[in-house]
Amino acid sequence: MKKLNIKIIFQMMGFLLIFNGAFMFISAGISLFYKEDAAQGIFFAGLVTILIGLLFRFTTRGFNKVVKKREGYIVVTLGWILMSLSGTLPYLFTESITTFTNAFFETISGYTTTGASILNDIERMPKGILFWRSTTHWIGGMGIIVLTIAVLPLLGIGGMQLFAAEAPGPSADKLHPRITDTAKRLWYIYFGLTITEAILLKFAGMGMFDAANHAMSTLSTGGFSTKNASIAHWNDRPIIQYIITFFMFLAGVNFVLSYFAFKGKFKKIINDEEFVTYFFNIIGIVLIVSLVVYFNADISKTPTTTQLIAHPMVHGELESAFRHGLFQVVAIITTTGFVSADFTLWTPFLTVLFFILMFFGASAGSTAGGVKFVRHIIMIKNGYLEFKRSLHPNAIIPVRFNKKSISQDIVFNIMAFIVLYLIVFAVGALGFGLFGLDYISAVGAAASSLGNVGPAFGSLSPVHNYDILPTVGKWWSAFLMLLGRLELFTVLILFTPYFWKNN
């Protein structure tokens, strides 16, 4: 194996920092528009970030443009870390968040689209900072690396290694033979859906600033809100919650299928096994949750800290039960993490159900975290076929997905992923227990951090936040967020000794 192409790694780091700084300038402009003192701090944060990026580029001129798999894994993992490190600067320069640990936690929670927060009073934050906070979601949603190769098609075909390492799910479907064109098409869809949702939310009664921020958080399946009560702030406007639910659902669909929808190829969508499973699972689970909420849960219960009140009598108890059930099921399955009520107070049955949903994930090729439906489908099918193989040991019985045979290599890869995911979850929960969390909180924090969900259970329920974690607990949670967002292998492979061997 050849030596690492160090220069291309630093070149890509430079590009990422320049992009990050440019988005900081946009946030500074928002802050300036609202005549905030924070505008200067955000501007200087962007300036410093861009200068460091230019330094990286200048010192590694004359680089080899070929990207191999090893460089791809390093660029993706280090890219997320470096973007998160530089992303702390607007918080620190404006003193909106005063400690580096808290600033890094908030930033990596944004880029990984987890939505876990350490902020105790979001509504007191400068609007420029809130916009930057949502921007980290939006950048991270479709992937920093995909953004880079969409705008700067520098790497050509070699960029496929980056896309494969970055794309969520077990495979990276391509819309076009050139990876740069694929990335551009995905971003056009992503950008278009974001603008559409923002306009709809504005007409539904949100202010333009809130609408733009929530659109970015929704399409990225992130969950950062501009309000302390999250989407529960608009519980008196059901239309807002239905709009956000619809776009959360779309964000959880493979963006390749969204492209086919725009092209009018609806047959590809209805014949996609993962989409059908995703759709009907949501319908079935929503019906169960809505009925349990309607007959058993007190959705009018009002926590004192974030005022997560459901107002069931205003719009009818049945409608309210359905709306909140629908909203929370879609929010957790897509790992968006928005809340319209404190679902941990509904019933113990639903608490356990929502915990299980944290391991679902949405579709591969979406912005959602979690395991993804395609992996569950293939694992269930393979498990079922084991009964047949036991009766017919000499028969070749392949697993089929979308009417095509799946190679055993893919099946083994998925099995390894799920086993590793459960091991990391168990180790993550042990870590949180070691850092002082009770059992329910530790298990919930591990599932939520690794699945990039956001709200958890116990002391990390929707009416609380992650500021209660000790410093080491916040770094542990941040590490799990990164592992989950990059789907384990991309990060963990860097810790294997053979990855670094030159032969």
Side-chain angles (χ1 to χ4, degrees):
M1 186 178 293
K2 295 182 179 180
K3 291 183 178 180
L4 284 173
N5 186 352
I6 300 297
K7 286 189 175 182
I8 189 64
I9 294 174
F10 276 92
Q11 279 286 317
M12 290 302 299
M13 296 300 104
F15 289 141
L16 293 176
L17 288 174
I18 292 171
F19 273 119
N20 220 23
F23 279 110
M24 291 179 195
F25 283 161
I26 296 174
S27 298
I30 296 294
S31 189
L32 188 64
F33 176 80
Y34 287 101
K35 299 178 181 180
E36 296 174 332
D37 295 335
Q40 183 177 356
I42 301 173
F43 174 81
F44 280 116
L47 183 62
V48 170
T49 302
I50 289 177
L51 289 176
I52 295 174
L54 291 173
L55 179 64
F56 278 15
R57 287 201 61 195
F58 179 78
T59 55
T60 54
R61 289 179 299 177
F63 60 96
N64 183 353
K65 297 183 179 181
V66 177
V67 179
K68 301 297 183 181
K69 282 191 174 181
R70 287 203 304 167
E71 286 86 354
Y73 285 119
I74 293 173
V75 165
V76 171
T77 302
L78 290 186
W80 284 89
I81 295 173
L82 187 62
M83 291 288 276
S84 297
L85 288 171
S86 63
T88 64
L89 297 182
Y91 297 118
L92 296 175
F93 282 19
T94 61
E95 297 185 346
S96 299
I97 299 177
T98 55
T99 67
F100 176 71
T101 293
N102 282 349
F104 183 82
F105 182 93
E106 197 76 13
T107 307
I108 199 167
S109 178
Y111 282 121
T112 59
T113 70
T114 303
S117 180
I118 50 82
L119 298 178
N120 292 304
D121 193 351
I122 297 169
E123 295 174 30
R124 292 188 62 183
M125 301 291 286
K127 283 184 167 57
I129 287 296
L130 290 179
F131 190 84
W132 168 245
R133 186 169 172 259
S134 300
T135 299
T136 59
H137 266 347
W138 199 73
I139 296 173
M142 276 299 292
I144 300 166
I145 310 302
V146 176
L147 170 65
T148 302
I149 61 177
V151 180
L152 296 176
L154 173 68
L155 303 176
I157 297 175
M160 189 60 204
Q161 276 74 27
L162 297 178
F163 187 67
E166 170 62 20
S171 63
D173 293 320
K174 293 198 292 182
L175 312 179
H176 192 276
R178 289 179 57 85
I179 182 59
T180 52
D181 291 324
T182 295
K184 285 179 182 178
R185 282 161 173 76
L186 294 177
W187 269 97
Y188 290 153
I189 295 170
Y190 190 58
F191 181 78
L193 290 176
T194 304
I195 295 297
T196 302
E197 184 188 356
I199 293 172
L200 291 176
L201 289 176
K202 176 65 172 67
F203 281 113
M206 269 193 186
M208 194 63 240
F209 179 79
D210 292 329
N213 279 269
H214 285 88
M216 287 193 288
S217 293
T218 302
L219 266 299
S220 65
T221 63
F224 278 156
S225 176
T226 56
K227 302 299 182 183
N228 291 331
S230 187
I231 308 304
H233 182 86
W234 291 278
N235 274 345
D236 58 341
R237 293 180 180 268
I239 185 62
I240 287 178
Q241 295 178 349
Y242 283 121
I243 290 172
I244 292 176
T245 301
F246 175 72
F247 281 93
M248 284 194 296
F249 174 82
L250 288 184
V253 175
N254 190 326
F255 270 71
V256 174
L257 295 184
S258 297
Y259 173 80
F260 289 145
F262 283 114
K263 298 289 288 186
K265 299 179 180 180
F266 298 105
K267 189 174 181 180
K268 286 183 174 288
I269 300 173
I270 61 177
N271 289 335
D272 185 83
E273 197 170 343
E274 184 181 35
F275 174 79
V276 172
T277 305
Y278 169 64
F279 179 76
F280 283 105
N281 264 269
I282 286 179
I283 289 179
I285 296 169
V286 167
L287 289 176
I288 293 172
V289 172
S290 299
L291 290 173
V292 173
V293 169
Y294 180 71
F295 287 108
N296 296 289
D298 181 10
I299 55 177
S300 64
K301 192 168 185 177
T302 309
T304 56
T305 54
T306 55
Q307 300 177 341
L308 296 177
I309 185 169
H311 299 299
M313 299 305 295
V314 177
H315 303 285
E317 290 185 358
L318 183 59
E319 183 278 334
S320 185
F322 171 77
R323 171 164 44 94
H324 289 286
L326 173 66
F327 187 92
Q328 291 304 155
V329 168
V330 176
I332 292 180
I333 284 182
T334 62
T335 71
T336 306
F338 280 140
V339 291
S340 63
D342 186 358
F343 54 85
T344 65
L345 297 179
W346 286 351
T347 68
F349 169 77
L350 292 183
T351 299
V352 175
L353 177 60
F354 283 127
F355 173 73
I356 294 172
L357 293 184
M358 288 185 175
F359 292 86
F360 273 41
S363 304
S366 71
T367 59
V371 175
K372 308 295 191 306
F373 270 93
V374 63
R375 290 192 177 100
H376 291 297
I377 293 169
I378 292 175
M379 281 296 293
I380 291 172
K381 284 188 172 184
N382 185 67
Y384 175 74
L385 290 177
E386 282 299 322
F387 293 109
K388 287 187 177 181
R389 295 176 184 135
S390 297
L391 294 174
H392 307 284
N394 296 323
I396 299 176
I397 308 175
V399 177
R400 294 184 178 276
F401 181 76
N402 284 339
K403 299 180 180 180
K404 296 179 181 179
S405 297
I406 302 296
S407 70
Q408 281 297 104
D409 289 341
I410 293 178
V411 175
F412 291 151
N413 179 275
I414 290 174
M415 291 173 63
F417 176 88
I418 292 179
V419 170
L420 187 59
Y421 194 94
L422 294 176
I423 291 173
V424 173
F425 160 71
V427 174
L430 285 173
F432 284 118
L434 181 64
F435 306 142
L437 293 188
D438 61 89
Y439 170 74
I440 294 177
S441 301
V443 170
S448 181
S449 298
L450 187 60
N452 305 130
V453 178
F457 305 96
S459 58
L460 298 174
S461 72
V463 298
H464 303 95
N465 64 26
Y466 284 67
D467 192 38
I468 67 166
L469 291 177
T471 298
V472 65
K474 291 171 183 175
W475 285 101
W476 184 242
S477 179
F479 176 65
L480 292 176
M481 291 179 202
L482 183 66
L483 281 180
R485 180 60 182 89
L486 298 183
E487 305 218 332
L488 305 182
F489 292 117
T490 305
V491 178
L492 294 179
I493 195 173
L494 302 183
F495 293 92
T496 59
Y498 46 83
F499 179 85
W500 301 98
K501 292 181 180 179
N502 292 325
N503 48 43

